[in-house]
């Protein structure tokens, strides 16, 4: 909005400008009343928890004016005004999310799966096809972990640079993701959260990459109750970041500061920030100072407990909405009566939206309650069971009963009438089964892709070999397979520490940067959290990134992002967003405490929603890349570190053959015992086959191949029904991945009933592996351990054939 900049000159505003200013004033009050009324809904018990954006209304309206179609937001749970301002959500939808309305029409962001103020644009349709991102104002699904939104911001912004500069992506099929790279990624964060390491990692990486992102820091002086004097050096994030300010001869950031209540200044600031980022692809940091937070952090506490009287009085005086009111009056844009009228209209609109959201939320639940009450009363009459009548009465007298209360009453009634024959009981039983199925869809669906593009649907194609296949180092198989993939998929790119010029530490990418350029094969700094974030953000924008984490134990640096963001993305949007990122790493049996860990139990239990591939060699690893790039789910591929120098036959159909997910392979058939393993440890077991055969033991050796998903067709269980004995060999700690595998085989596959001997797990020791070859031998399962464990299991069955070794 063009305005007179000279503060000494009397300002004049056109009718259109006045209309826009008053619309901003009203919108600000719509958002404020949502915060005020939303808090009451929580405190009166109609909602579980509330966190709101009061105090940030005006700066967010200013930011929204610069947010264009195609742009992306990676924000946090204070941005409700911004989302209203870009017409992304309505007040009714925001209340629906507050009530946890489990319907994607009511809450398009998460279908009730996320707490309020966690937003998301639906980026894929029900069939898994990308929706044109250039025709909408986009939000990557919010997460609560402090500063967690920053890592993916990097990738959302980098995608614009990739689309602007990569010649291979100029075709028509890529235009739904970018308009010549003109999109900005807007990030928002609270001032206290800038203390987190991922914030600093993101800021540094953004300056290095020179990408179009605008980071807004809302500075309200506190991190819940902790003053910023305990949070930030010099109590100013912009001051301590001043060294990042770009100069005429050095790249960096444009750093801008503005006060949250200064309407004119904040409009000018965001206009300047957006122009720099969009036109020049330069990152911008906007430090929004003197923000207020009228209701404190959330509904879980009161800010009066930690703010002084003076601070509370200041917050009332410097409320951005009150300051805007005074500015409007001072400039004679409208009279006080008009502003009062607009504020009342805002309150009335929010009140009506709240009522409509509550009605829409409760009506189907009330119908379910009515249906169950009828069945309970009928069951009580037919059986004469007093407990059933009590359950019905209690449910009837519960005015705000929700689905758990209704289903719990029905299930208790079934328990109370177990063994009774009754038509009402049959009806109630069918209702419970139907309810469980419906609620499974509401609350348990879309952890992984349920579209036709799921990698589980990719057809298996076996590796093919020439009559006399060339025997090569495993690294050449993976390298030449990557070459085929980069040629086949122009939106595929790989990045990580030493991935570019060196071609990765094991030369699995040797020569790829020279052939495909620095945009598609690039080096990064030592910063795993934001390497992952680059991958998440770019995957959301239609690219197929492979984020390289150099070694498996380095995964810990980015594990929070994998677990909290990547693994939950599809689930928390109920299928509305996807990030088919492949995390490439290498591990198992390297030397020393910090390079040889295999924390597979931690990984498997922390990344549900991500496929976990554990190939035994590089041909298998290549097949996983070929499979996953045809699918739409994220995955981690852990290449076996000692596989790069081991010889393998080189397939003739590189880039084409696939390895299926969740399909173990019987590498050797046998009759005495089923032995299950994966990765490098599998190869040790395989090397023992001749020695075991000499001892008269026939093992059925199975490579699980993927831990997530695990043996979808229960192949291992079928093997166990033949051998009746089981050994799981794993180099994780005791009770790690081996416990996960054993649970699947014995409980999920019913293997317990086929056992003739106690099932065994052979794992590493509980500590990290010690250094060097002896350290490996005495810390992880070795050949002698494996042989003797199998021998002892067989000895239990036949002591004469297998006499004691010791």
């Amino acid at each position: 909005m063009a305005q007179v900049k000279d503060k000494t000159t009397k300002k004049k505003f056109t009718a259109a400008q006045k209309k826009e200013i008053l619309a901003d004033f009203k919108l600000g009050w719509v958002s404020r009343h949502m915060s005020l009324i939303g808090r009451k809904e929580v405190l009166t018990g109609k909602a579980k928890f509330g966190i709101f954006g009061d105090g940030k209304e005006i700066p967010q309206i200013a930011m929204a004016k610069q947010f264009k179609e195609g742009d992306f937001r990676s924000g946090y749970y204070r941005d409700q005004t911004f989302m209203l301002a870009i017409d992304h959500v309505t007040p009714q939808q925001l209340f629906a999310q507050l009530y946890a309305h489990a319907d994607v029409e009511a809450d398009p962001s998460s279908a009730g799966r996320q707490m309020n103020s966690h937003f998301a644009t639906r980026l894929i349709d029900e069939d898994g096809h990308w929706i044109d991102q250039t025709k909408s104002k986009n939000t990557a699904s919010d997460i609560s972990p402090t500063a967690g939104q920053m890592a993916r911001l990097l990738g959302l912004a980098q995608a614009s640079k990739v689309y602007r500069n990569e010649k291979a992506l100029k075709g028509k099929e890529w235009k739904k993701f970018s308009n010549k790279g003109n999109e900005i990624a807007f990030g928002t964060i609270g001032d206290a959260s800038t203390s987190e390491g991922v914030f600093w990692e993101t800021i540094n990486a953004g300056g290095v990459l020179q990408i179009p992102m605008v980071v807004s820091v809302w500075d309200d002086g506190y991190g819940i109750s902790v003053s910023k004097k305990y949070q930030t050096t010099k109590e100013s994030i912009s001051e301590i970041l001043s060294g990042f300010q770009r100069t005429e001869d050095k790249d960096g950031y444009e750093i801008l500061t503005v006060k949250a209540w200064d309407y004119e200044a904040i409009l000018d600031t965001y206009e300047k920030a957006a122009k720099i980022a969009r036109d020049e692809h330069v990152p911008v940091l906007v430090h929004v100072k003197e923000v207020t937070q009228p209701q404190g952090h959330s509904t879980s506490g009161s800010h009066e407990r930690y703010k002084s009287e003076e601070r509370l009085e200041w917050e009332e005086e410097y409320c951005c909405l009150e300051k805007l009111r005074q500015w409007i009056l001072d400039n004679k844009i409208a009279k006080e009566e008009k502003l009062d009228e607009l504020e009342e209209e805002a309150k009335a609109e929010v009140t009506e939206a709240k009522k409509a959201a509550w009605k829409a939320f409760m009506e189907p639940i009330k119908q379910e309650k009515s249906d169950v009450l009828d069945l309970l009363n009928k069951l009580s009459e037919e059986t004469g069971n007093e407990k059933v009548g009590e359950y019905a009465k209690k449910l009837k007298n519960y005015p705000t009963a929700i689905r758990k209360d209704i289903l719990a009453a029905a299930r208790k009634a079934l328990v109370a009438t177990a063994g009774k024959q009754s038509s009402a009981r049959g009806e109630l039983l069918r209702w419970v089964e139907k309810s469980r199925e419906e609620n499974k869809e509401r609350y348990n669906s879309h952890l992984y892709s349920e579209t036709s593009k799921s990698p589980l649907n990719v057809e298996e194609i076996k590796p093919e070999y020439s009559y006399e296949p060339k025997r090569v180092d495993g690294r050449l198989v993976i390298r030449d397979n990557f070459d085929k993939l980069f040629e086949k998929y122009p939106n595929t790119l790989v990045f990580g520490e030493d991935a570019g010029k060196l071609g990765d530490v094991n030369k699995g990418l040797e020569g790829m940067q020279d052939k495909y350029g620095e945009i598609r094969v690039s080096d990064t700094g030592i910063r795993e959290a934001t390497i992952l974030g680059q991958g998440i953000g770019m995957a959301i924008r239609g690219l197929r990134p492979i984020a390289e984490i150099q070694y498996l134990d380095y995964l810990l640096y980015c594990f929070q992002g994998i677990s909290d963001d990547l693994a939950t993305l599809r689930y928390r949007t109920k299928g509305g967003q996807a990030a088919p990122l492949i995390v490439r790493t290498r591990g198992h049996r390297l030397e020393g405490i910090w390079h040889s860990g295999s924390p597979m139990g931690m990984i498997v239990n922390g990344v549900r929603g991500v496929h976990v591939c554990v190939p035994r060699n590089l041909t298998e690893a290549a097949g996983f890349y070929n499979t996953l790039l045809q699918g739409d789910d994220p995955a981690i591929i852990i290449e076996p570190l000692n596989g790069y120098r081991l010889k393998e036959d080189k397939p003739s159909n590189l880039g084409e053959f696939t390895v299926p997910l969740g399909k173990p392979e019987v590498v050797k058939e046998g009759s005495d015992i089923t032995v299950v393993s994966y990765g490098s440890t599998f190869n040790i077991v395989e090397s023992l086959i001749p020695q075991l055969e000499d001892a008269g033991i026939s093992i059925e050796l199975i490579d699980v191949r993927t831990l997530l998903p695990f043996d979808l067709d229960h192949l291992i269980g079928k093997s166990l029904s033949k051998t009746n004995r089981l050994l799981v060999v794993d180099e994780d700690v005791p009770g790690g991945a081996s416990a996960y595998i054993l649970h699947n085989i014995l409980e999920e596959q019913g293997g317990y009933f086929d056992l003739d001997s106690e099932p065994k797990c052979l794992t590493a020791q509980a500590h990290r592996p010690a250094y060097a070859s002896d350290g490996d031998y005495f810390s992880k399962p070795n050949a002698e351990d494996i042989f003797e464990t199998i021998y002892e299991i067989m000895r239990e069955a036949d002591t004469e054939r297998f006499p004691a070794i010791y």
Side-chain angles (χ1 to χ4, degrees):
M1 181 173 64
Q3 296 178 356
V4 179
K5 303 294 176 67
D6 184 357
K7 303 290 183 182
T8 63
T9 305
K10 185 176 180 180
K11 301 173 186 64
K12 293 183 179 180
F13 301 92
T14 65
Q17 288 174 330
K18 290 179 179 180
K19 183 178 180 181
E20 184 178 349
I21 292 165
L22 294 180
D24 291 347
F25 177 82
K26 181 180 176 180
L27 180 60
W29 275 107
V30 166
S31 185
R32 178 65 60 86
H33 283 298
M34 284 174 49
S35 299
L36 298 171
I37 293 172
R39 182 181 179 86
K40 291 178 181 177
E41 293 298 277
V42 175
L43 298 181
T44 56
K46 289 169 69 178
K48 196 76 175 177
F49 178 80
I51 194 159
F52 304 100
D54 41 311
K56 301 166 180 65
E57 292 89 355
I58 297 307
Q60 290 188 11
I61 289 171
M63 183 171 73
K65 291 178 187 293
Q66 305 304 323
F67 197 80
K68 309 299 183 186
E69 289 186 341
D71 287 348
F72 266 85
R73 165 188 164 274
S74 182
Y76 82 132
Y77 43 70
R78 300 289 184 193
D79 293 347
Q80 71 187 42
T81 310
F82 175 82
M83 303 307 292
L84 288 167
I86 64 170
D87 293 322
H88 183 279
V89 291
T90 66
Q92 182 172 336
Q93 289 170 337
L94 286 159
F95 278 105
Q97 192 176 53
L98 185 68
Y99 301 139
H101 193 156
D103 186 315
V104 76
E105 296 297 324
D107 170 23
S109 291
S110 73
R113 294 183 177 186
Q114 292 228 78
M115 70 174 71
N116 75 298
S117 295
H118 288 67
F119 307 107
T121 307
R122 303 201 74 76
L123 299 176
I124 53 178
D125 64 22
E126 292 181 356
D127 297 322
H129 298 110
W130 289 106
I131 297 168
D132 192 333
Q133 297 177 0
T134 67
K135 295 180 179 178
S136 63
K137 298 177 179 180
N138 307 295
T139 281
S141 176
D142 293 334
I143 56 175
S144 291
T146 308
Q149 72 275 18
M150 294 301 296
R152 87 165 94 86
L153 174 66
L154 204 64
L156 292 169
Q158 187 181 1
S160 292
K161 187 170 185 175
V162 172
Y163 282 120
R164 178 175 285 187
N165 295 293
E166 177 53 52
K167 293 179 180 179
L169 297 175
K170 299 303 180 185
K172 183 179 179 181
E173 65 269 35
W174 311 113
K175 294 192 181 299
K176 67 168 64 174
F177 299 108
S178 179
N179 177 21
K180 300 179 181 178
N182 291 325
E183 305 79 24
I184 299 173
F186 287 79
T188 64
I189 188 170
D191 181 63
S193 295
T194 64
S195 299
E196 291 279 11
V198 70
F199 171 82
W200 291 91
E201 197 173 304
T202 301
I203 292 297
N204 181 57
V208 170
L209 291 169
Q210 288 293 284
I211 49 180
M213 66 184 197
V214 175
V215 180
S216 296
V217 180
W218 313 132
D219 184 356
D220 61 18
Y222 292 86
I224 306 184
S225 68
V226 180
S227 167
K228 67 180 179 180
K229 71 179 179 179
Y230 301 113
Q231 304 272 7
T232 310
T233 303
K234 298 185 179 181
E235 299 186 43
S236 173
I237 191 63
S238 56
E239 188 174 348
I240 59 175
L241 285 174
S242 59
F244 284 79
Q245 174 65 50
R246 63 176 179 160
T247 61
E248 288 186 3
D249 59 341
K250 289 187 177 181
D251 290 336
Y253 277 73
E254 189 66 31
I255 298 177
L256 308 173
T257 61
V258 67
K259 293 176 180 177
W261 49 265
D262 191 336
Y263 181 69
E264 288 183 285
I266 210 156
L267 290 174
D268 290 343
T269 298
Y270 274 102
E271 183 178 3
K272 179 180 180 181
K275 182 171 178 56
I276 291 170
R278 202 178 302 279
D279 295 348
E280 302 178 48
H281 273 199
V282 168
V284 182
L285 182 122
V286 181
H287 182 189
V288 184
K289 300 179 176 181
E290 299 189 13
V291 178
T292 65
Q293 196 156 283
Q295 297 187 114
H297 177 263
S298 68
T299 55
S300 62
S302 170
H303 63 156
E304 285 85 359
R305 293 183 299 166
Y306 54 86
K307 290 180 182 175
S308 66
E309 289 291 335
E310 292 76 16
R311 173 69 191 194
L312 292 169
E313 290 175 5
W314 179 88
E315 289 201 6
E316 285 191 22
E317 181 181 354
Y318 281 85
C319 165
C320 62
L321 294 180
E322 293 299 337
K323 281 289 187 180
L324 178 57
R325 170 186 280 267
Q326 191 58 52
W327 180 83
I328 291 171
L329 295 173
D330 289 345
N331 285 279
K332 298 182 171 27
I333 294 168
K335 294 183 178 180
E336 190 134 15
E337 293 81 3
K338 178 62 175 177
L339 299 183
D340 290 341
E341 178 185 328
L342 290 173
E343 187 179 338
E344 284 302 313
E345 286 178 8
K347 184 176 182 180
E349 288 178 16
V350 173
T351 301
E352 286 304 308
K354 178 207 71 170
K355 290 178 181 177
W358 181 250
K359 181 180 180 183
F361 172 62
M362 287 301 298
E363 277 191 345
I365 296 176
K366 286 180 178 178
Q367 184 59 55
E368 290 181 31
K369 177 182 174 181
S370 176
D371 293 344
V372 168
L373 281 173
D374 288 344
L375 291 172
L376 292 177
N377 289 327
K378 187 177 177 182
L379 181 61
S380 178
E381 290 175 8
E382 288 184 5
T383 63
N385 189 294
E386 292 182 1
K387 284 187 176 181
V388 175
E390 291 172 7
Y391 299 146
K393 183 178 180 181
K394 185 178 179 181
L395 182 60
K396 181 180 179 181
N397 293 332
Y398 193 174
T400 56
I402 55 178
R403 288 191 171 95
K404 79 176 186 68
D405 305 307
I406 300 166
L407 183 57
R411 293 172 71 180
K412 288 176 181 177
L414 291 176
V415 172
T417 58
K420 303 291 184 182
Q421 295 299 317
S422 162
S423 62
R425 193 177 191 280
E427 289 182 64
L428 186 61
L429 182 59
R430 287 189 290 275
W431 185 93
V432 167
E433 290 171 349
K434 179 173 177 286
S435 175
R436 281 175 163 164
E437 283 302 309
E438 290 173 347
N439 286 304
K440 183 178 180 181
E441 167 59 26
R442 288 187 182 106
Y443 300 107
N444 307 130
S445 59
H446 297 286
L447 179 59
Y448 294 93
S449 174
E450 297 178 12
T451 75
S452 61
K453 297 178 180 295
S454 167
L456 299 182
N457 296 327
V458 174
E459 179 184 359
E460 180 179 9
I461 300 174
K462 299 282 188 181
E464 296 175 358
Y465 298 93
S466 61
Y467 179 69
E468 293 184 353
K470 190 174 182 181
R471 195 81 173 157
V472 299
D473 289 344
R475 76 169 186 91
L476 297 180
V477 175
I478 201 80
R479 183 199 68 181
D480 293 352
N481 194 76
F482 276 133
D483 189 15
K484 295 292 185 181
L485 292 177
F486 293 141
E487 183 181 308
K488 186 176 182 180
Y489 302 110
N491 60 335
T492 298
L493 57 164
V494 63
F495 45 91
E497 299 158 20
D498 302 306
K501 186 174 182 179
L502 190 64
D504 85 43
V505 291
N506 295 98
K507 295 190 175 295
L509 293 167
E510 182 184 31
M512 295 300 104
Q513 188 180 80
D514 290 340
K515 187 170 183 179
Y516 295 100
E518 290 189 31
I519 293 175
R520 295 187 63 191
V521 184
S522 58
D523 286 313
T524 69
I526 301 175
R527 48 173 182 80
E528 286 79 9
T530 47
I531 291 172
L532 176 79
Q534 284 175 257
I536 296 173
M538 286 195 279
I540 288 172
R541 292 196 59 189
L543 298 170
R544 291 308 306 263
I546 300 171
E548 180 165 313
I549 304 301
Q550 196 164 84
Y551 294 115
L552 179 58
D553 47 352
Y554 295 172
L555 207 69
L556 290 166
Y557 284 97
C558 62
F559 192 73
Q560 182 268 327
I562 298 174
S563 183
D564 286 330
D565 197 354
L566 182 64
T568 68
L569 179 62
R570 190 184 291 272
Y571 173 79
R572 71 180 188 265
T573 59
K574 201 179 182 186
Q577 291 191 2
L581 165 66
I582 299 174
V583 177
R584 180 194 185 206
T585 187
R586 51 189 67 81
H588 311 310
R589 309 204 84 105
L590 187 57
E591 306 291 357
I593 288 174
W594 282 284
H595 276 317
S596 56
S598 296
M600 300 309 302
M602 178 198 76
I603 293 168
V604 166
N605 289 308
V607 304
R608 304 297 169 92
V610 174
H611 299 295
V612 177
C613 306
V614 284
R616 65 183 183 270
N617 57 41
L618 277 301
T619 299
E620 289 276 305
F624 282 131
Y625 288 108
N626 300 342
T627 297
L628 290 162
L629 283 171
Q630 296 180 57
D632 60 354
D633 267 337
I636 300 170
I637 299 178
I638 303 165
E639 298 172 12
L641 193 56
N642 55 9
Y644 299 102
R645 63 180 182 272
L646 297 179
K647 298 296 184 182
E648 298 183 34
D649 289 340
K650 187 175 180 180
S652 58
N653 59 338
L654 291 171
E656 300 298 331
F657 68 89
T658 59
V659 175
L661 307 182
K663 307 282 187 179
E665 181 181 5
V666 178
V667 177
K668 179 196 174 293
E669 293 186 359
S671 57
D672 290 333
I673 183 171
T674 299
V675 182
V676 176
S677 191
Y678 62 88
S680 297
T681 301
F682 177 93
N683 297 323
I684 299 176
V685 181
E686 188 176 24
S687 72
L688 290 170
I689 290 174
Q691 185 180 348
L692 289 163
E693 289 178 342
D694 287 345
I697 300 172
S698 172
I699 71 167
E700 181 130 302
L701 180 56
I702 300 178
D703 179 8
V704 302
R705 296 168 121 186
T706 63
L707 291 171
L708 290 175
F710 185 87
D711 193 4
L712 296 174
D713 297 329
H714 294 184
L715 180 146
I716 299 172
K718 294 169 186 173
S719 171
L720 188 55
S721 69
K722 176 175 65 174
T723 67
N724 309 118
R725 294 178 182 85
L726 175 66
L727 173 65
V728 176
V729 187
D730 169 51
E731 59 177 302
D732 196 1
V733 296
S738 60
Y740 164 80
I741 292 170
L742 202 61
H743 160 78
N744 271 277
I745 298 170
L746 298 188
E747 189 171 339
E748 298 293 328
Q749 301 186 25
Y752 170 83
F753 299 101
D754 291 315
L755 289 171
D756 287 342
S757 299
E758 179 186 359
K760 295 285 187 180
C761 292
L762 181 58
T763 70
Q765 299 295 317
H767 52 72
R768 299 282 184 98
Y771 176 57
S773 296
D774 276 351
D776 177 85
Y777 184 87
F778 291 104
S779 299
K780 292 196 171 186
N782 56 59
E784 286 69 37
D785 290 336
I786 296 167
F787 176 87
E788 290 172 11
T789 302
I790 294 171
Y791 186 94
E792 284 302 311
I793 293 173
M794 296 307 302
R795 184 173 183 274
E796 180 189 5
D798 192 337
T799 55
E800 290 187 7
R801 282 184 62 202
F802 304 104
I805 297 175
Y806 298 104

